[in-house]
């Protein structure tokens, strides 16, 4: 598309509606949700009209090619495929990027749409629809359906540079959103590799989280995207034991309600936990599924009887 009128037609808007939606400064509501670490993640949720338009824009991104190292937000890939290349290595290192989505600027988003063949005016409007205003400019919002795909597209150059660095040094590189993982057998090279990685990150506009760079050697528990990779991708033993204990107590209804975190649908919550283990290691999930099948649930509340 080359004109705002063409884009408006595609989005089922008038040109005036398109420009108002693209130029709005109050099209997001903001709230926080807890991370697994206990910290809070800030979410920017688009208003209904913008969310609808962003779902249509997402169709335009179907042609975006994904790099080989990228495993987050990619159909057919996930935390297991991202962990597999790092299994059995003598050293594994992880780097988390700080403020990943906010590090992607509006001009970078516009470049993605230009790369898909859209004209400059249309690319500019699309970038406005997919970014939110912040102090000093606009960036990808954490909460828009377009942000994951756009972040992967913007990271193509980063992935290529890190991939070349690792290939020279004999290391493997994968990325799951803002979680970068490196592994290899040349233990003596890992510190130098990480210095090179940090230099590339800085030149690409990203910063490592100061408290989340980890180097794990073969004698330690090595983790990638939350999975243990010493021998094969596996859910950490502590998490499996905790889930097994919850299911056992729920099965016997020991100690009252196991839903201590107040999940609205505790049955669905446990199903999700078991599905996660099944995805990683179906064999280990068999006993969990058997225990789950013996729990008696109330019909209405999905709580234990």
């Amino acid at each position: 598309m080359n004109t705002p009128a063409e884009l408006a037609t595609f989005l089922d808007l008038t040109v005036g509606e398109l420009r108002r939606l693209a130029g709005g400064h109050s099209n997001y509501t903001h709230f926080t949700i807890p991370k697994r670490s206990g910290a809070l993640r800030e979410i920017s949720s688009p208003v209904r009209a913008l969310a609808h338009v962003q779902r249509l824009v997402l169709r335009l991104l179907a042609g975006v090619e994904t790099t080989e190292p990228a495993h987050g937000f990619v159909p057919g890939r996930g935390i297991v495929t991202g962990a597999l290349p790092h299994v059995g290595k003598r050293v594994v290192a992880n780097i988390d990027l700080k403020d990943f989505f906010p590090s992607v600027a509006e001009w970078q988003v516009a470049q993605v749409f230009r790369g898909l063949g859209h004209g400059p005016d249309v690319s500019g409007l699309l970038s406005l629809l997919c970014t939110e205003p912040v102090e000093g400019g606009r960036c990808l919002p954490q909460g828009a359906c377009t942000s994951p795909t756009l972040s992967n597209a913007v990271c193509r150059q980063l992935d290529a540079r890190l991939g070349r660095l690792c290939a020279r040094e004999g290391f493997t590189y994968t990325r799951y959103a803002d979680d970068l993982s490196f592994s290899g057998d040349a233990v003596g090279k890992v510190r130098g590799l990480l210095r090179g990685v940090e230099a590339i990150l800085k030149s690409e506009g990203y910063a490592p989280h100061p408290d989340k760079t980890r180097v794990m050697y073969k004698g330690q528990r090595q983790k990638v995207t939350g999975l243990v990779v010493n021998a094969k991708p596996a859910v950490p033993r502590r998490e499996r034991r905790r889930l097994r204990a919850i299911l056992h107590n729920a099965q016997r209804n020991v100690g009252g309600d196991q839903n201590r975190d107040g999940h609205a649908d505790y049955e669905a919550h446990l199903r999700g936990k078991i599905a996660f283990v099944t995805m990683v290691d179906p064999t280990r999930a068999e006993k969990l599924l058997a225990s789950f099948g013996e729990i008696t649930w109330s019909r209405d509340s999905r709580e234990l009887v």
Side-chain angles (χ1 to χ4, degrees), residues 245-257:
I246 289 173
L247 292 170
H248 178 72
N249 290 336
Q251 179 186 339
R252 299 174 58 199
N253 200 13
V254 173
D257 188 6

Side-chain angles (χ1 to χ4, degrees), residues 211-227:
D211 302 322
K212 294 187 178 180
T213 296
R214 301 171 296 280
V215 178
M216 300 154 287
Y217 299 96
K218 194 169 185 178
Q220 302 171 295
R221 186 178 65 170
Q222 299 170 322
K223 293 177 68 177
V224 172
T225 55
L227 301 180

Side-chain angles (χ1 to χ4, degrees), residues 3-300:
T3 67
E6 290 177 295
L7 178 59
T9 299
F10 172 76
L11 298 175
D12 197 22
L13 300 170
T14 66
V15 173
E17 289 171 335
L18 169 60
R19 293 194 183 279
R20 284 193 295 272
L21 203 56
H25 287 269
S26 57
N27 287 329
Y28 292 87
T29 57
H30 300 88
F31 56 92
T32 59
I33 58 174
K35 300 181 182 180
R36 291 182 64 181
S37 64
L40 294 177
R41 185 187 304 279
E42 295 185 5
I43 301 296
S44 300
S45 178
V47 298
R48 181 177 299 178
L50 181 58
H52 172 70
V53 166
Q54 288 173 343
R55 286 193 290 271
L56 295 176
V57 172
L58 190 59
R59 299 180 186 176
L60 301 177
L61 297 171
V64 172
E65 294 183 5
T66 305
T67 62
E68 184 177 342
H71 290 263
F73 321 122
V74 180
R77 305 183 197 177
I79 63 170
V80 177
T81 61
L84 274 169
H86 304 287
V87 169
K89 300 296 180 66
R90 292 183 64 192
V91 61
V92 175
N94 294 325
I95 293 179
D96 284 6
L97 300 182
K98 184 179 180 182
D99 300 327
F100 180 55
F101 283 171
S103 297
V104 179
E106 177 196 348
W107 67 267
Q108 294 173 294
V109 175
Q111 281 189 335
V112 173
F113 289 110
R114 287 296 302 272
L116 292 173
H118 301 291
D121 290 341
V122 170
S123 297
L125 286 168
L126 286 167
S127 69
L128 290 172
L129 291 171
C130 295
T131 56
E132 68 168 332
V134 294
E135 185 177 352
R138 297 179 71 97
C139 66
L140 285 183
Q142 176 89 40
C145 67
T146 46
S147 291
T149 301
L150 285 168
S151 68
N152 275 341
V154 170
C155 280
R156 286 181 61 83
Q157 180 171 290
L158 173 67
D159 289 342
R161 293 183 65 187
L162 292 177
R164 288 194 295 269
L165 171 65
C166 288
R168 288 197 304 268
E169 300 298 326
F171 280 78
T172 298
Y173 161 61
T174 63
R175 179 179 59 81
Y176 190 96
D178 58 352
D179 192 345
L180 281 56
S181 298
F182 309 87
S183 66
D185 295 321
V187 174
K189 290 186 175 183
V190 66
R191 295 295 178 181
L193 175 81
L194 293 181
R195 286 193 293 271
V197 168
E198 291 182 7
I200 291 174
L201 291 175
K202 183 177 180 180
S203 68
E204 292 289 334
Y206 298 98
H209 196 290
D211 302 322
K212 294 187 178 180
T213 296
R214 301 171 296 280
V215 178
M216 300 154 287
Y217 299 96
K218 194 169 185 178
Q220 302 171 295
R221 186 178 65 170
Q222 299 170 322
K223 293 177 68 177
V224 172
T225 55
L227 301 180
V228 178
V229 295
N230 293 71
K232 65 178 182 177
V235 177
R237 183 180 304 173
R238 181 178 178 182
E239 294 184 26
R240 297 198 313 269
R241 286 178 173 174
R242 182 172 182 272
L243 178 57
R244 189 162 57 241
I246 289 173
L247 292 170
H248 178 72
N249 290 336
Q251 179 186 339
R252 299 174 58 199
N253 200 13
V254 173
D257 188 6
Q258 300 296 307
N259 187 12
R260 295 183 176 89
D261 293 328
H263 297 282
D265 189 336
Y266 192 49
E267 181 180 6
H269 170 71
L270 289 183
R271 282 185 184 276
K273 291 281 190 182
I274 297 171
F276 177 72
V277 178
T278 302
M279 175 187 68
V280 178
D281 190 342
T283 302
R284 291 187 182 276
E286 291 178 359
K287 291 183 179 180
L288 300 177
L289 284 168
S291 295
F292 181 83
E294 296 181 10
I295 299 173
T296 302
W297 302 92
S298 65
R299 182 171 300 176
D300 297 325

